[in-house]
Amino acid sequence: MSKLLTGLALGVVVGLLLAPDKGSETRRKIAEKGRELKDRFDDFVDSLSDKIDSLRAEAEETVEEARPSTYPA
């Protein structure tokens, strides 16, 4: 996934640099796209983190259910 995001970011930057805009406009567009990519990446990481937390909770529950009950001494 990291390679995909890197390729996407490079494609956006190259496309903007080759566009016939003023330098200040190009820099503004690059900054804007960078923020958008960062937000998307942050959303992806948050989603992945949520899934990992959910899987961890399910695994802990499964282990707890599989653990034999303790017998009174």
Side-chain angles (χ1 to χ4, degrees):
M1 188 65 172
S2 174
K3 290 181 181 181
L4 176 66
L5 289 175
T6 301
L8 178 64
L10 287 174
V12 167
V13 169
V14 169
L16 289 173
L17 291 175
L18 296 177
D21 282 334
K22 292 169 46 177
S24 60
E25 183 65 17
T26 300
R27 287 188 297 276
R28 185 192 64 76
K29 286 181 180 180
I30 290 172
E32 183 178 307
K33 291 296 179 183
R35 283 189 296 274
E36 288 175 15
L37 284 173
K38 181 188 175 302
D39 289 345
R40 282 184 173 178
F41 183 73
D42 289 346
D43 290 345
F44 169 75
V45 169
D46 289 343
S47 172
L48 188 60
S49 179
D50 289 345
K51 288 179 183 180
I52 289 171
D53 289 344
S54 175
L55 287 172
R56 179 181 296 134
E58 287 179 30
E60 288 173 354
E61 184 178 315
T62 301
V63 167
E64 199 59 39
E65 290 173 357
R67 185 173 289 157
S69 60
T70 57
Y71 298 101

